[in-house]
């Protein structure tokens, strides 16, 4: 098996995501805000997948030791550098999560819910307790629970699978076009930071992070067919959970639209 085999295996789930009815439901600025308020959890937990990989594949403790494969260390550290300390629109350094939250604020989306959730994670010191006792939609809870179950298992090739194949790279391109239409039709709403976020995401994934992540999978699995099969299983599940997240956001958008009638 190889990465091409995995891409073939996850093609049905990718197609469901690419054709999801959510995209056609985001018609107003209020709809867009609801989308952002749900999607931000995927932006946040992506950072946890990334840091879990760094913890497993490099040395993050003292005394330093030459842990693992130097090529994999390079790949993961390069991705961490950009995702955790990228250049924001104003030239300052921010993580992609912080960049996204700033963009939400600029278009008056609610950031209190995700901020309160993260505060609760800090308070409980148990992500699973925080997920369970939160008031999040069940689809968002299932999405987060899956991510952190994979992290808890601690198997590097499976974490890498959720990171690499579970975060598809075509949807940001779709939303960039949607945002451009919004910017034209709702000029009173500042979407500059949001468009920058998605464009930056596309640029990094296509030119750097996508190929690096694929190389990381190759390095981690090698010729071990069992690992390749586990990568395939985790990748399919990750995309199914993303479909569940999209369903949850679509439900919230529809509920708001019905309430507005």
């Amino acid at each position: 098996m190889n990465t091409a085999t995995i891409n073939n295996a996850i093609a049905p789930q990718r197609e469901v995501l690419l054709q999801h009815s959510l995209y056609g439901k985001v018609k107003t600025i209020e709809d867009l805000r609801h989308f952002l308020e749900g999607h931000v959890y995927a932006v946040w937990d992506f950072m946890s997948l990334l840091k879990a990989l760094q913890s497993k594949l490099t040395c993050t403790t003292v005394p330093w030791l030459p842990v693992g494969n130097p090529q994999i260390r390079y790949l993961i550290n390069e991705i961490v550098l950009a995702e955790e300390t990228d250049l924001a629109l104003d030239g300052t350094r921010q993580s992609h999560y912080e960049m996204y939250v700033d963009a939400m604020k600029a278009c008056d989306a609610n950031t209190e819910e995700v901020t309160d959730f993260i505060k609760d994670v800090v308070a409980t010191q148990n992500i699973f307790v925080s997920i369970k006792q939160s008031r999040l939609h069940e689809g968002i809870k299932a999405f987060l629970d899956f991510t952190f179950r994979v992290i808890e298992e601690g198997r590097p090739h499976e974490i890498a699978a959720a990171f690499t194949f579970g975060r598809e790279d075509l949807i940001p391109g779709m939303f960039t076009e949607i945002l451009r239409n919004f910017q034209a039709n709702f000029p009173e709403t500042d979407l500059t930071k949001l468009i920058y976020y998605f464009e930056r995401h596309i640029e990094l994934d296509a030119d750097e992070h996508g190929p690096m992540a694929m190389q990381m999978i190759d390095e981690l699995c090698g010729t071990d067919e069992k690992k390749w099969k586990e990568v395939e299983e985790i990748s399919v599940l990750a995309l199914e959970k993303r479909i569940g997240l999209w369903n949850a956001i679509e439900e919230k958008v529809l509920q708001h639209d019905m309430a507005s009638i």
Side-chain angles (χ1 to χ4, degrees):
M1 293 180 74
N2 53 35
T3 53
T5 309
I6 305 301
N7 277 320
N8 287 335
I10 64 176
Q13 289 75 22
R14 285 176 64 87
E15 188 63 22
V16 170
L17 280 168
L18 292 172
Q19 302 300 326
H20 201 286
S21 54
L22 168 63
Y23 312 123
K25 302 293 193 305
V26 183
K27 298 177 180 178
T28 68
I29 288 296
E30 196 60 37
D31 294 338
L32 178 62
R33 289 172 184 146
H34 285 308
F35 169 79
L36 299 176
E37 289 159 11
H39 181 242
V40 68
Y41 293 95
V43 178
W44 175 71
D45 83 334
F46 176 84
M47 299 301 297
S48 294
L49 281 169
L50 177 60
K51 298 303 284 187
L53 281 172
Q54 188 181 37
S55 176
K56 294 291 179 182
L57 302 176
T58 75
C59 183
T60 58
T61 58
V62 176
W64 179 87
L65 298 170
V67 171
N69 182 315
Q71 181 64 17
I72 292 179
R73 292 201 302 262
Y74 168 77
L75 293 172
I76 197 64
N77 283 331
E78 279 290 300
I79 297 172
V80 168
L81 179 66
E83 294 286 346
E84 199 168 34
T85 55
D86 201 7
L87 276 175
L89 188 60
D90 63 0
T92 60
R93 293 284 177 181
Q94 286 186 311
S95 69
H96 280 196
Y97 168 76
E98 290 163 315
M99 206 181 288
Y100 196 86
V101 169
D102 274 359
M104 290 175 67
K105 291 175 180 175
C107 63
D108 295 322
N110 181 2
T111 61
E112 289 183 9
E113 184 182 73
V114 68
T115 300
D116 288 344
F117 175 77
I118 292 174
K119 285 179 181 176
D120 189 70
V121 172
V122 173
T124 64
Q125 294 292 297
N126 187 317
I127 183 64
F128 300 107
V129 169
S130 292
I131 293 169
K132 186 175 182 179
Q133 69 187 16
S134 75
R135 299 176 66 181
L136 296 173
H137 187 288
E138 289 303 317
I140 298 177
K141 286 185 176 183
F143 178 83
L144 290 171
D145 187 79
F146 170 79
T147 296
F148 287 97
R149 296 290 173 192
V150 172
I151 290 171
E152 186 180 46
E153 288 292 318
R155 293 157 62 84
H157 63 287
E158 292 182 335
I159 300 172
F163 178 89
T164 303
F165 297 103
R167 306 301 171 121
E168 73 304 318
D169 58 3
L170 297 178
I171 286 170
M174 283 188 173
F175 269 92
T176 300
E177 292 306 309
I178 291 172
L179 290 171
R180 290 194 185 285
N181 291 333
F182 271 97
Q183 195 171 44
N185 296 323
F186 303 95
E188 71 281 1
T189 305
D190 182 9
L191 299 177
T192 310
K193 289 184 177 180
L194 199 56
I195 291 172
Y196 176 82
Y197 168 85
F198 279 111
E199 288 183 337
R200 185 67 179 142
H201 194 78
I202 295 164
E203 177 186 0
L204 285 172
D205 277 358
D207 296 340
E208 300 175 33
H209 294 179
M212 284 181 176
M214 292 295 179
Q215 187 178 349
M216 180 169 58
I217 292 285
D218 281 330
E219 294 281 351
L220 287 171
C221 292
T223 58
D224 190 326
E225 288 299 313
K226 184 173 185 294
K227 284 185 177 180
W228 280 110
K229 188 63 180 174
E230 288 165 347
V231 163
E232 178 183 320
E233 291 168 355
I234 289 292
S235 300
V236 169
L237 281 173
L239 288 181
E240 287 177 351
K241 296 301 179 183
R242 171 58 73 95
I243 293 167
L245 175 68
W246 258 213
N247 292 342
I249 295 171
E250 181 178 34
E251 186 178 314
K252 187 174 181 181
V253 169
L254 289 173
Q255 285 175 348
H256 174 264
D257 289 347
M258 290 299 293
S260 301
I261 295 174

